[in-house]
Amino acid sequence: MSDFENCGGNCASCGEDCGAGGATITLTLDNDETIECSILTVYEAAGNSYIALLPLNEQGVNEDGEVFIYRFHEENGVPVLENIEDDEEYEAASDGFDEWLDSMEYDELVPAEEEE
């Protein structure tokens, strides 16, 4: 994993709208293939941090809606992504991502000023 730009995964700290393609990361897969991904979010689930990535084609577009989810942490200020090997952990991470998606849909339906 490399080229995390200057993003620590917390879009609030840099002001980027990661969901709109602001921050990206280049993943290097086991077969040395590289994939550019838009950072959707970094979130907490089941006591761990995870990062959700949207793979992009050469034109910067996601073609199939597929999302990659990795365990996320920092070592000495450097972002580290790890594969999720355990089915139960993956289920918890997926549920956490679904909750994030639900909250994003709610935010789109009900603007912040209407919540008060």
Side-chain angles (χ1 to χ4, degrees):
M1 314 300 157
S2 62
D3 199 19
F4 200 75
E5 302 296 316
N6 291 318
C7 182
N10 180 354
C11 294
S13 68
C14 68
E16 288 291 327
D17 183 4
C18 296
T24 62
I25 182 173
T26 301
L27 297 179
T28 302
L29 304 179
D30 292 338
N31 64 1
D32 290 330
E33 176 186 0
T34 60
I35 299 176
E36 189 75 15
C37 296
S38 177
I39 301 169
L40 296 176
T41 188
V42 174
Y43 62 97
E44 298 289 323
N48 290 308
S49 293
Y50 298 96
I51 187 168
L53 306 173
L54 190 65
L56 306 172
N57 65 15
E58 295 80 25
Q59 292 78 35
V61 176
N62 179 272
E63 297 174 336
D64 58 10
E66 183 177 23
V67 173
F68 298 159
I69 298 175
Y70 291 93
R71 191 178 316 111
F72 174 85
H73 68 278
E74 291 187 21
E75 290 179 8
N76 300 320
V78 176
V80 177
L81 280 62
E82 298 175 342
N83 290 326
I84 302 169
E85 307 281 337
D86 180 73
D87 289 342
E88 285 183 36
E89 181 183 2
Y90 183 78
E91 187 68 32
S94 294
D95 289 346
F97 180 68
D98 287 343
E99 290 174 16
W100 177 80
L101 283 176
D102 289 344
S103 74
M104 296 307 294
E105 290 175 11
Y106 177 79
D107 289 347
E108 289 178 10
L109 293 173
V110 181
E113 56 270 3
E114 288 183 24
E115 288 182 22
E116 298 171 2

